[in-house]
Amino acid sequence: MVEPILKWAGGKRQLLAEITARFPADFDRYHEPFVGGGAVFFDLEPDAGSINDLNSRLVTLYETIRDRDPEELIAENRSHEHDEDYYYDARDEFNELHRVDDKSPEQRLREASLFVYLNRTCFNGLYRENNSGEFNVPVGRYANPDWVQADRIRALHEVLRDTTIRNGDFAYVREAATAGDLVYFDPPYEPVSTTADFTDYHAEGFDRDDQRRLRDLAVELDEAGVSVVLSNSPPVAELYEDYEAFAVDLVEATRAINSDADGRGEVAEVLITNVPEAEQRRTTLSAFE
């Protein structure tokens, strides 16, 4: 098990046991089209497969960790300062780099390093973009934040070595996954109230039509012999109620990252899967206890 390098709203560290218990005991390749902070992927440490995210900065970070000597990113991380003025200068530089279309290798390294630094020093570990795609989270209050993350970078470099990393729509997995593979979907959640919003991590958002499009893809994958596990908020459960292949379970998760303090604590989530209970890890492992 490898620890994620980023704090991430909606991250699945609190639900790892519940999610992986519903995975099939055996599968070929693993695909995660909404990888985010990667808690499930890095816990699983799959031998082959793909990860994807719409957030190009996140993809740059993972590609940098996979493709470059880990010591280069570690050294760049050590160049940052624990200072409020420095934080806002770094945030400005991060947003300026985002506007560069064809980045040099050194610009990509710098952007990846700034991402880790800002994530580890911003308010409550949030990642949020405004409508212009600018990261706009204010500085946090930390006594001794660790933005170097040397051990994790070295470990993640090994885990990502044989992983395909993509930056696009989740529908790529229609062609990437084949019978016997496992796909775990963790999309931006359907809001559970008029004030709740898990979609602002990216300027383009994720709406109800996207949730239906994801449901249709999950059905296609099921018909193709691909194992599917999906997490979301309770309102999405109704989209799957007419499909007998999918079981829906309600679970409780702890949320520590939220811009609204009232949104932290225990929240309800749903886990949806087409993996028959007899083939799930929780069933097959318990048979040997």
Side-chain angles (χ1 to χ4, degrees), residues 59-76 103-113 153-158 160-161 165:
V59 169
T60 294
L61 172 61
Y62 290 147
E63 288 179 337
T64 298
I65 293 173
R66 181 193 64 184
D67 298 338
R68 296 193 65 146
D69 182 338
E71 302 309 316
E72 294 179 311
L73 180 56
I74 293 167
E76 190 71 26
K103 299 181 184 68
S104 70
E106 293 313 303
Q107 286 175 316
R108 287 171 57 83
L109 176 67
R110 181 65 175 173
E111 184 178 49
S113 179
I153 289 171
R154 294 182 185 114
L156 297 183
H157 173 72
E158 297 300 322
L160 289 166
R161 188 183 297 275
I165 303 175

Side-chain angles (χ1 to χ4, degrees), residues 139-216:
V139 69
R141 297 286 179 252
Y142 303 96
N144 189 30
D146 175 17
W147 59 75
V148 177
Q149 298 288 305
D151 291 341
R152 292 186 185 183
I153 289 171
R154 294 182 185 114
L156 297 183
H157 173 72
E158 297 300 322
V159 174
L160 289 166
R161 188 183 297 275
D162 297 318
T163 301
T164 299
I165 303 175
R166 302 177 63 107
N167 174 214
D169 189 79
F170 63 84
Y172 85 91
V173 81
R174 179 183 288 109
E175 284 72 40
T178 57
D181 287 359
L182 167 64
V183 177
Y184 169 56
F185 290 112
D186 182 33
Y189 279 14
E190 179 88 358
V192 296
S193 71
T194 56
T195 58
D197 188 0
F198 276 48
T199 66
D200 60 359
Y201 83 106
H202 191 274
E204 295 181 16
F206 199 86
D207 61 20
R208 187 69 168 181
D209 287 340
D210 290 312
Q211 299 285 2
R212 293 190 185 94
R213 192 162 59 92
L214 176 55
R215 185 271 320 276
D216 293 344

Side-chain angles (χ1 to χ4, degrees), residues 53-57 98 127-131 133 167 188 198-206:
D53 205 277
L54 272 182
N55 190 314
S56 62
R57 292 153 157 168
H98 189 53
Y127 185 86
R128 183 184 62 205
E129 293 182 0
N130 61 24
N131 290 334
N167 174 214
F198 276 48
T199 66
D200 60 359
Y201 83 106
H202 191 274
E204 295 181 16
F206 199 86

Side-chain angles (χ1 to χ4, degrees), residues 14-141:
Q14 300 296 329
L15 275 179
L16 277 173
E18 292 278 9
I19 293 166
T20 59
R22 289 162 174 80
F23 285 179
D26 296 299
F27 57 88
D28 295 330
R29 297 174 300 157
Y30 175 80
H31 308 275
E32 192 167 339
F34 302 91
V35 70
V40 176
F41 175 85
F42 294 124
D43 178 75
L44 195 63
E45 296 186 42
D47 293 330
S50 67
I51 58 175
N52 173 77
D53 205 277
L54 272 182
N55 190 314
S56 62
R57 292 153 157 168
L58 184 63
V59 169
T60 294
L61 172 61
Y62 290 147
E63 288 179 337
T64 298
I65 293 173
R66 181 193 64 184
D67 298 338
R68 296 193 65 146
D69 182 338
E71 302 309 316
E72 294 179 311
L73 180 56
I74 293 167
E76 190 71 26
N77 287 356
R78 289 195 170 112
S79 71
H80 301 304
E81 301 174 14
H82 188 26
D83 176 81
E84 183 170 335
D85 289 339
Y86 181 90
Y87 174 90
Y88 286 108
D89 287 342
R91 193 179 72 173
D92 288 343
E93 182 183 358
F94 187 57
N95 287 326
E96 288 169 6
L97 281 169
H98 189 53
R99 290 188 281 269
V100 178
D101 292 330
D102 188 16
K103 299 181 184 68
S104 70
E106 293 313 303
Q107 286 175 316
R108 287 171 57 83
L109 176 67
R110 181 65 175 173
E111 184 178 49
S113 179
L114 287 168
F115 197 156
V116 177
Y117 167 75
L118 293 168
N119 177 263
R120 289 285 166 178
T121 56
C122 72
F123 173 74
N124 202 37
L126 284 170
Y127 185 86
R128 183 184 62 205
E129 293 182 0
N130 61 24
N131 290 334
S132 299
E134 294 180 331
F135 176 74
N136 63 357
V137 181
V139 69
R141 297 286 179 252

Side-chain angles (χ1 to χ4, degrees), residues 193-257:
S193 71
T194 56
T195 58
D197 188 0
F198 276 48
T199 66
D200 60 359
Y201 83 106
H202 191 274
E204 295 181 16
F206 199 86
D207 61 20
R208 187 69 168 181
D209 287 340
D210 290 312
Q211 299 285 2
R212 293 190 185 94
R213 192 162 59 92
L214 176 55
R215 185 271 320 276
D216 293 344
L217 175 58
V219 171
E220 287 184 48
L221 292 172
D222 171 65
E223 293 171 348
V226 176
S227 295
V228 176
V229 178
L230 183 143
S231 51
N232 215 307
S233 57
V236 169
E238 66 182 19
L239 296 178
Y240 294 81
E241 61 186 11
D242 293 333
Y243 297 89
E244 294 183 1
F246 290 92
V248 180
D249 295 326
L250 187 69
V251 296
E252 296 291 328
T254 301
R255 286 279 165 255
I257 298 178

